[in-house]
């Protein structure tokens, strides 16, 4: 880690503090995050037949809505996150191999701070929703590889090398 790297949510005395973004200029910022959910072959067989219907609704459609709702409420869940009025939030769910799905959440804002936490929260909440709705079929579901894939806008862009 470079010597200039430091935690941004601590003040000079080492106490928690919100980052002051008042002097920054608004820019268009986009972040994309991904979560992978290993459902197992039995649940995946049901997925291949179509979106799983449950009493709470279709699993993937419900997870997409939950991911968007989670992204919009990130500042209520993560201490010191700035509340953002998202310009857009998209959540997709795709089959990944014989036993898993991949969730991607892309959050967009024109503002003074990034949307990485919103994208990560959206992907995470969608993954948790899939777990919740499928747990009656198996408790061996595994949520893994939640990570930032890319971000643009602000000081520095980031792209995860796949």
């Amino acid at each position: 880690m470079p010597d200039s790297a430091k935690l941004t949510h601590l003040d000079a005395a080492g106490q928690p503090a919100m980052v002051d973004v008042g002097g920054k200029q608004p820019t268009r910022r986009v972040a994309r995050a991904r979560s992978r959910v290993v459902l197992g072959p039995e649940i995946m067989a049901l997925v291949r037949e179509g979106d799983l219907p449950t009493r709470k609704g279709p699993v993937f459609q419900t997870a997409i809505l939950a991911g968007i709702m989670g992204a919009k409420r990130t500042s209520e869940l993560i201490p010191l996150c700035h509340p953002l009025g998202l310009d857009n939030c998209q959540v997709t769910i795709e089959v990944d191999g014989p036993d898993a799905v991949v969730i991607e959440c892309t959050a967009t804002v024109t503002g003074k701070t990034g949307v990485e936490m919103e994208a990560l929260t959206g992907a995470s909440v969608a993954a948790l929703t899939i777990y919740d709705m499928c747990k009656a079929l198996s408790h061996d579901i595994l949520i893994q590889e939640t990570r930032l894939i890319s971000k643009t806008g602000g000081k520095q862009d980031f792209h995860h090398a796949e």
Side-chain angles (χ1 to χ4, degrees):
M1 195 177 319
D3 290 336
S4 62
K6 63 181 182 120
L7 296 175
T8 57
H9 288 87
L10 296 176
D11 65 16
Q15 296 301 308
M18 186 177 239
V19 174
D20 182 357
V21 297
K24 291 183 170 184
Q25 290 300 312
T27 59
R28 181 165 176 82
R29 297 159 184 264
V30 179
R32 185 168 52 104
R34 178 182 298 157
S35 286
R36 186 169 188 268
V37 182
V38 180
L39 296 167
E42 296 83 18
I43 297 174
M44 282 305 295
L46 297 172
V47 166
R48 284 188 175 81
E49 293 174 13
D51 198 353
L52 300 170
T54 71
R55 290 183 183 167
K56 293 182 182 181
V59 173
F60 292 166
Q61 289 180 5
T62 304
I64 288 167
L65 290 173
I68 294 168
M69 292 170 64
K72 289 170 63 174
R73 299 187 77 162
T74 299
S75 68
E76 296 174 33
L77 300 169
I78 309 293
L80 305 177
C81 275
H82 291 85
L84 300 177
L86 296 178
D87 295 335
N88 195 4
C89 183
Q90 299 291 318
V91 176
T92 60
I93 302 172
E94 295 182 3
V95 172
D96 184 38
D99 63 351
V101 295
V102 168
I103 301 158
E104 284 199 2
C105 179
T106 303
T108 306
V109 71
T110 301
K112 297 179 177 189
T113 188
V115 288
E116 301 97 297
M117 294 310 301
E118 286 72 13
L120 287 161
T121 299
S124 298
V125 170
L128 289 167
T129 301
I130 291 172
Y131 183 97
D132 179 50
M133 295 182 77
C134 293
K135 70 181 184 255
L137 301 173
S138 173
H139 286 286
D140 290 325
I141 299 166
L142 177 64
I143 298 171
Q144 60 180 197
E145 298 177 0
T146 299
R147 68 173 305 140
L148 182 66
I149 300 300
S150 64
K151 79 171 198 80
T152 59
K155 263 195 273 186
Q156 185 175 349
D157 289 352
F158 169 82
H159 296 280
H160 171 66
E162 303 271 342

